[in-house]
Amino acid sequence: MTIKEDQPELYTYLNGIRGVGNPYNFAYLAYMAIRLIECQRVLKKAGSIYLHCDPTMSHYLKSLMDCIFGERNFRNEIVWCYRGGGKGSRDFARKHDVLLRYCQSRNFVFNEGLIRVPYEGTGKNRKDASMGGSRRKGGGNSSYRPNPLGKIPEDWWVIPQLNSNDPERVGYPTQKPLRLLERIIRASSSEGDMVLDPFCGCATTCVSSEMLDRKWIGIDVSFKAYELVKRRLETRRS
């Protein structure tokens, strides 16, 4: 397979981005393109993919994924918000990351009942009729009531980063909190499904999948990652 023959739209995009910004950009995007093509190939029809990257490259990767997965299969740009750490100096403090969510088809898994969160604002602990309301739709009125399980989260998630003293910490620089991966896995897979993380790092996806009764595959070139996967899973199982 060659990108030029099998992914002409992607080939055009990569050629267009050549020479834009840091020379490293093109090399990184070509590296990611090959891997994302394979992710798209093995993704089930009901599956979803979540891609996290820092703000220096996430906007380039959005166009890359549009080419591979199709713009119609873009679902969300999820903003992961957090506090803590240093403050901004002559800039706003950077306290969010972006996750791009794409699906393989319109028939995707989305387990809304497993990810609901409490309502916010006045009366958030109330579930009586006063929490409901009405709205006009199509010339008529319709009423609605709060779901007793809470609301589906918005596309911005307030989930704290791991601080230096957090018991989850394993010394891996890009470690993500289990809570973040748990929400993703609950939302887009069911028990017994297979979860793939091709850049598994310190195994947070693997550990979360194990805890939620999913099958999993984790891939990483780092020997340290391999040891961390073994250690964290052994700790969880003991």
Side-chain angles (χ1 to χ4, degrees):
M1 184 201 81
T2 65
I3 292 178
K4 183 176 182 179
E5 294 173 354
D6 297 329
Q7 298 276 346
E9 185 179 14
L10 176 59
Y11 179 77
T12 300
Y13 172 65
L14 288 173
N15 269 314
I17 210 70
R18 190 193 294 270
V20 176
N22 191 309
Y24 165 80
N25 292 354
F26 174 78
Y28 173 76
L29 290 171
Y31 167 89
M32 287 298 298
I34 296 169
R35 285 150 181 81
L36 287 169
I37 288 170
E38 288 302 297
C39 288
Q40 193 271 339
R41 181 181 67 82
V42 301
L43 187 63
K44 297 291 187 181
K45 290 295 183 183
S48 301
I49 180 170
Y50 292 75
L51 178 67
H52 166 266
C53 189
D54 67 39
T56 62
M57 295 302 295
S58 61
H59 51 299
Y60 293 115
L61 287 167
K62 170 68 168 61
S63 296
L64 193 76
M65 294 187 78
D66 282 345
C67 294
I68 296 170
F69 290 88
E71 291 180 70
R72 68 190 181 282
N73 289 322
F74 170 68
R75 304 307 306 171
N76 290 107
E77 181 182 69
I78 298 167
V79 180
W80 168 31
C81 308
Y82 43 81
R83 293 187 175 90
K87 298 179 180 179
S89 176
R90 297 178 59 82
D91 285 307
F92 297 107
R94 296 174 183 174
K95 298 297 177 184
H96 81 271
D97 283 23
V98 168
L99 291 82
L100 301 173
R101 172 180 168 241
Y102 283 75
C103 295
Q104 184 76 305
S105 70
R106 294 292 181 177
N107 187 31
F108 55 86
V109 171
F110 188 71
N111 300 313
E112 59 183 60
L114 299 181
I115 58 169
R116 289 183 178 271
V117 297
Y119 293 96
E120 299 174 358
T122 303
K124 65 180 180 180
N125 295 318
R126 299 175 62 179
K127 296 181 174 61
D128 54 75
S130 65
M131 278 287 290
S134 62
R135 56 176 174 264
R136 295 185 63 83
K137 185 178 181 181
N141 290 321
S142 63
S143 60
Y144 59 92
R145 292 289 181 268
N147 189 304
L149 298 177
K151 65 177 182 178
I152 299 172
E154 294 85 355
D155 59 3
W156 53 272
W157 300 353
V158 181
I159 297 177
Q161 278 189 318
L162 300 178
N163 61 49
S164 58
N165 297 318
D166 198 294
E168 281 186 37
R169 272 285 182 198
V170 295
Y172 200 84
T174 58
Q175 183 178 353
K176 308 298 185 297
L178 285 168
R179 280 182 58 195
L180 179 67
L181 273 298
E182 285 170 1
R183 179 173 290 181
I184 291 170
I185 292 167
R186 286 183 189 276
S188 296
S189 68
S190 302
E191 289 187 7
D193 284 352
M194 180 67 73
V195 177
L196 167 67
D197 187 345
F199 302 93
C200 72
C202 63
T204 303
T205 301
C206 308
V207 173
S208 297
S209 299
E210 183 90 358
M211 292 169 60
L212 296 172
D213 295 319
R214 272 65 166 173
K215 301 173 186 176
W216 54 268
I217 298 172
I219 303 170
D220 205 282
V221 298
S222 167
F223 285 107
K224 182 178 180 181
Y226 169 73
E227 292 299 328
L228 285 171
V229 170
K230 287 177 57 181
R231 191 175 81 200
R232 294 186 76 186
L233 289 174
E234 286 168 0
T235 301
R236 285 284 168 183
R237 289 166 177 164
S238 61

